[in-house]
Amino acid sequence: MSLSIALLTYSTKPRGSVIHTLELAAALADLGHHPCVFALDKDNQGFHRPTPFNTCPVPAAPCDKGIDQLIQQRIQEFVTFFQHHPEQYDIYHAQDCLSANALAILKQQGHIPHFVRTVHHIEEFKSPYLQDCQEKSIHQPDRCLCVSDVWQQALEKNYDIQAHRVINGVSGRFSAQLDGSEAGLAEAYGIQNGPIYLTVGGIEPRKNSINLLNAFYLVKQQQPQAQLVIAGGATLFDYQAYRQEFMALVEAYDLADSLVLPGVVPDVDLPTLYRLADVFVFPSVQEGWGLVVLEAIASGLPVLTSNQAPFTEFLSEQQAMLIAPERVAEIATAMVTLLNPDVAQSLIQHSRPIIDQYSWQRSAQMHLALYADLRR
């Protein structure tokens, strides 16, 4: 029996949970089901990539009143949209706190029978309103899912919730195989001979961007031609103060010519961007899983990441350079060490089998089993 599945995500721009939503929808469609992805669309441009399944942009108006009012408005925009959306679905599945709050309101109003929420990670909000939104988004779904052991344990310990564990996957379009697009993209972005360090996720506290920049400054003392590419950056929150601190350091270190900030990279270009890099650096201090790490491994890159969960759930010291994210000198030393071909190739060889363990088809099958349980 095929299911109609409404998947909700907070943005049409590429972030981890958004990519998870799109890849899951594609795998569900491949298995004969009928997903439709609903996403807040603040620039009226739709998703950043074409999709082989239905999508439905949810209009999101500008808001300049502050983060609490923004989140309140975004929740209401979802609610209002579904109140007037004629089609009903077998499953309603929120991929974030914001859309989960909207589905909770719709359930209370009798518009939907039940809903699922995937908890990718849990934030520590200073705002009482945002913290309350997060609490509701975790307690009110009929089923909570998560993508890593660390968050499954956190949900049990802090919320007394037995969350169902599902997995992420990695798309087959990420590969080390050159396709001829590399030289053109390098020229377009100003990427030179290198060595090239790449990270994906933008400049924000959770990505540990300032410590990475401090480490890169140390690397430059030994590798004057090195470049650091920081791709991505679409986010719901305003990290302007952190970005200003970051850019002030860029100026103080005289690193402007060594830093490449392409912003949100077109989806078609992202696999090529990975192939242009020599090392993938991701000293993040908080992730739901770290999809970009899987993408980098699939692209044939040696990986540097934080020696903490969730990364240590699927990576060993033989598969990645695991560092303490708060130790700038340690990050810098690892970045230089990964330029050693023997070290890099050993990590690449040992990490490659990880890719076979994570497929979106398997993830979709796990979701379908949970959906069936919910409908009993």
Side-chain angles (χ1 to χ4, degrees):
M1 175 184 174
S2 64
L3 297 175
S4 61
I5 305 161
L7 296 165
L8 282 69
T9 186
Y10 73 93
S11 177
T12 56
K13 303 295 186 235
R15 293 288 285 186
S17 63
V18 177
I19 298 300
H20 173 102
T21 308
L22 296 177
E23 295 289 359
L24 173 60
L28 289 167
D30 284 344
L31 293 173
H33 299 275
H34 305 286
C36 183
V37 177
F38 297 83
L40 292 166
D41 186 8
K42 66 178 183 180
D43 55 14
N44 199 33
Q45 293 184 358
F47 277 102
H48 62 282
R49 65 159 85 163
T51 61
F53 49 83
N54 290 333
T55 61
C56 194
V58 176
C63 178
D64 57 4
K65 296 181 179 179
I67 189 62
D68 286 9
Q69 291 79 9
L70 172 65
I71 297 301
Q72 188 174 22
Q73 177 179 314
R74 295 291 182 252
I75 292 170
Q76 188 56 48
E77 284 165 339
F78 259 134
V79 171
T80 301
F81 182 87
F82 275 96
Q83 285 173 336
H84 298 91
H85 188 71
E87 189 170 352
Q88 294 292 308
Y89 296 85
D90 297 315
I91 298 293
Y92 292 84
H93 187 165
Q95 292 287 343
D96 51 72
C97 169
L98 193 154
S99 59
N101 271 270
L103 290 182
I105 293 170
L106 289 163
K107 180 184 175 183
Q108 291 168 359
Q109 294 176 345
H111 290 283
I112 64 174
H114 43 61
F115 72 100
V116 179
R117 192 228 157 155
T118 298
V119 178
H120 291 272
H121 65 271
I122 301 170
E123 297 278 4
E124 294 182 6
F125 292 117
K126 295 180 181 178
S127 158
Y129 173 73
L130 294 181
Q131 190 62 36
D132 182 60
C133 283
Q134 180 166 256
E135 298 289 316
K136 289 178 179 177
S137 77
I138 293 172
H139 283 296
Q140 295 189 1
D142 297 273
R143 293 286 186 280
C144 257
L145 316 183
C146 61
V147 295
S148 65
D149 294 340
V150 65
W151 295 115
Q152 185 180 47
Q153 293 161 10
L155 286 165
E156 182 175 5
K157 178 182 177 182
N158 300 327
Y159 294 88
D160 197 27
I161 287 176
Q162 303 293 321
H164 299 273
R165 176 80 157 77
V166 293
I167 63 168
N168 280 310
V170 60
S171 170
R173 68 198 187 95
F174 294 100
S175 165
Q177 185 65 43
L178 302 180
D179 67 4
S181 63
E182 290 78 17
L185 191 68
E187 183 178 2
Y189 286 161
I191 295 173
Q192 299 166 5
N193 292 328
I196 306 300
Y197 294 96
L198 171 67
T199 191
V200 178
I203 299 168
E204 59 182 77
R206 188 162 64 89
K207 303 301 180 183
N208 204 21
S209 305
I210 287 177
N211 274 354
L212 176 58
L213 182 68
N214 287 329
F216 180 65
Y217 173 70
L218 297 179
V219 170
K220 284 279 290 183
Q221 314 310 308
Q222 300 181 53
Q223 297 287 335
Q225 303 305 312
Q227 286 183 294
L228 175 61
V229 182
I230 303 179
T235 178
L236 191 66
F237 296 99
D238 181 9
Y239 297 113
Q240 187 60 34
Y242 188 84
R243 286 181 60 87
Q244 287 174 346
E245 182 181 353
F246 180 95
M247 296 310 297
L249 282 172
V250 171
E251 183 176 353
Y253 291 153
D254 193 24
L255 288 176
D257 292 340
S258 302
L259 191 64
V260 179
L261 300 174
V264 177
V265 174
D267 198 64
V268 68
D269 291 341
L270 190 57
T272 305
L273 185 60
Y274 279 108
R275 291 195 293 272
L276 288 172
D278 296 294
V279 176
F280 187 73
V281 287
F282 198 65
S284 175
V285 294
Q286 187 188 70
E287 293 294 325
W289 177 256
L291 278 177
V292 292
V293 172
L294 289 181
E295 293 171 358
I297 291 171
S299 302
L301 289 178
V303 167
L304 176 157
T305 194
S306 299
N307 189 18
Q308 63 184 48
F311 309 114
T312 50
E313 294 178 22
F314 64 99
L315 291 170
S316 69
E317 292 181 348
Q318 288 72 46
Q319 296 168 318
M321 190 71 74
L322 301 175
I323 51 82
E326 72 279 5
R327 295 180 182 173
V328 170
E330 185 175 331
I331 298 172
T333 299
M335 290 172 73
V336 173
T337 301
L338 284 171
L339 297 178
N340 181 314
D342 293 335
V343 174
Q345 285 304 314
S346 177
L347 294 177
I348 291 168
Q349 180 181 353
H350 285 96
S351 64
R352 182 66 197 183
I354 293 172
I355 300 304
D356 297 331
Q357 302 172 34
Y358 297 97
S359 75
W360 288 113
Q361 183 182 49
R362 182 171 167 233
S363 179
Q365 290 167 340
M366 296 172 78
H367 281 81
L368 288 168
L370 294 166
Y371 293 161
D373 182 61
L374 180 64
R375 299 186 71 221
R376 287 195 182 100

